[in-house]
Amino acid sequence: MPVLSKPIPPLYTVYILRSTIRHASLYIGSTPNPPRRLKQHNGEVKGGAARTSRRKLRPWEMVGLVSGFPVMVAALKFEWALTNPHISLHIPSSSRITTSAGRKRNGYPKRPRNTLTSILSNIHLLLRVPSFARWPLKVHFFDPEVYEAWKKWCATANEPLRNTIQILTDFGPLPSNSKETVSSKADEPERPWGIHALPLDYAPMKDYVTKTQSIYDFEREGNCVVCGDRLEPGKGLYATCSNAGCEGTGHVLCWSKHVLGKEAGEDIIPISGHCPQCKGEVVWSDLMKEMSLRIRGAKEIQKLLKEPRKRKVRT
């Protein structure tokens, strides 16, 4: 198995695409760049899928997506399971919601036709199965109608989602009939929303990375915040608290046991907990993303921390 040489990506998603012309036409895909992928599906740039190339169904819109996948392969596994819920081995037979619609000539099960309800119900199911239940995933909705369908399904589902899974909505700016409001906002730049507001790079981590670079570059690791042993610079895998103002650093294994707490005997993937030093909340995926960036992402860090050039003022 090849050794991973890249850091955890800033974003990788599995998305739901819907035709604005015919809402019953739906498509599932995965991408690290939703705005660019949407342009491809709509034929604005090259690279769209054959199933979304019919002009009479364009333009397409992304009405929802799942984010937080640690690598491309993880997103592809989730995408395949969501596209093929009738045969995916990630879904136990006793929990399967979608069943095959007969068989093809070659004997393989036919893929049932997707509906919005079937897609949302299978997302809910996949977020609960052992393969994906402890991944740091978030569910985003960009259309009120789709979000209402999601809430309706959640109200009838036999099991709730893990309470650490974030459900996020962004329906864009609210329409206003007030002339004063329109005139007052005329000069303001339009706020990006939906898929255009998603972070496509490591910019949200800049302060966190700046802090950890100072700690590790100047060998200020100190003692492990969990076990108390001295951290030898450059001789182990260390993670640092993500909270602003806290430099609590420790062995990755110690952090893992601490965050897992009572779950340590049952699960191996931590989700979230509290820093032993500042007592603030820490999310395991944030710690791991920073560590992978520090170890494997020298170019990405250089780009992130590079100061923009100052423009010369003409006199």
Side-chain angles (χ1 to χ4, degrees):
M1 183 175 179
V3 178
L4 293 174
S5 58
K6 293 183 179 181
I8 294 174
L11 183 71
Y12 221 104
T13 68
V14 172
Y15 58 86
I16 307 169
L17 206 64
R18 183 177 70 177
S19 168
T20 58
I21 308 301
R22 184 174 179 269
H23 279 190
S25 295
L26 302 161
Y27 178 86
I28 298 166
S30 61
T31 181
N33 191 323
R36 181 185 63 196
R37 189 61 179 150
L38 182 59
K39 287 183 177 180
Q40 290 176 325
H41 284 301
N42 284 325
E44 297 175 40
V45 295
K46 292 182 179 180
R51 287 183 57 199
T52 60
S53 61
R54 295 167 65 185
R55 291 184 180 180
K56 65 180 182 180
L57 294 178
R58 288 175 173 171
W60 296 84
E61 60 180 347
M62 284 190 186
V63 294
L65 57 80
V66 180
S67 70
F69 296 97
V71 291
M72 179 184 70
V73 173
L76 291 175
K77 286 183 177 181
F78 193 95
E79 178 195 353
W80 197 92
L82 184 58
T83 307
N84 301 278
H86 58 302
I87 56 174
S88 172
L89 297 180
H90 292 292
I91 301 175
S93 299
S94 58
S95 303
R96 207 177 296 282
I97 297 172
T98 305
T99 56
S100 60
R103 291 190 174 273
K104 301 177 183 178
R105 291 181 180 179
N106 58 10
Y108 288 102
K110 281 185 179 180
R111 180 187 298 170
R113 185 181 181 84
N114 278 330
T115 64
L116 182 61
T117 300
S118 71
I119 293 174
L120 296 178
S121 62
N122 280 301
I123 288 177
H124 193 281
L125 175 59
L126 288 171
L127 291 172
R128 294 185 284 112
V129 299
S131 301
F132 307 112
R134 298 185 68 82
W135 286 14
L137 303 178
K138 301 176 183 178
V139 185
H140 306 250
F141 293 103
F142 309 121
D143 182 90
E145 179 188 348
V146 176
Y147 180 54
E148 287 301 318
W150 168 262
K151 290 195 297 182
K152 184 178 180 180
W153 176 259
C154 290
T156 60
N158 56 3
E159 288 183 39
L161 291 179
R162 172 169 47 85
N163 59 11
T164 53
I165 293 178
Q166 295 185 52
I167 309 299
L168 307 172
T169 60
D170 188 356
F171 306 139
L174 294 174
S176 175
N177 296 324
S178 171
K179 293 182 180 180
E180 292 182 4
T181 305
V182 173
S183 60
S184 65
K185 293 185 177 181
D187 298 330
E188 295 180 10
E190 186 177 350
R191 178 186 73 85
W193 67 276
I195 61 173
H196 302 285
L198 296 172
L200 303 181
D201 56 23
Y202 295 102
M205 296 180 62
K206 185 172 182 178
D207 291 342
Y208 185 16
V209 171
T210 300
K211 177 181 72 175
T212 57
Q213 287 295 293
S214 173
I215 293 172
Y216 294 101
D217 286 352
F218 294 96
E219 300 183 354
R220 298 190 295 106
E221 291 89 337
N223 296 332
C224 176
V225 289
V226 181
C227 73
D229 290 349
R230 175 171 169 72
L231 301 173
E232 295 292 336
K235 293 186 178 180
L237 288 177
Y238 308 140
T240 300
C241 176
S242 56
N243 292 303
C246 179
E247 296 189 352
T249 302
H251 304 100
V252 168
L253 184 58
C254 291
W255 269 110
S256 174
K257 291 179 179 178
H258 172 75
V259 175
L260 279 169
K262 295 179 181 179
E263 299 176 333
E266 302 175 6
D267 299 297
I268 60 173
I269 302 177
I271 297 175
S272 63
H274 291 84
C275 171
Q277 183 163 301
C278 71
K279 310 305 179 186
E281 185 180 9
V282 290
V283 178
W284 182 252
S285 60
D286 292 341
L287 302 185
M288 294 301 99
K289 184 177 285 189
E290 185 283 324
M291 186 184 74
S292 75
L293 188 60
R294 176 169 20 101
I295 294 173
R296 304 171 184 161
K299 291 182 179 179
E300 287 84 354
I301 289 179
Q302 184 179 12
K303 181 180 179 181
L304 177 64
L305 303 183
K306 186 178 180 180
E307 292 293 335
R309 291 184 179 180
K310 293 183 179 180
R311 293 183 179 182
K312 294 182 179 180
V313 180
R314 294 182 179 180
T315 57

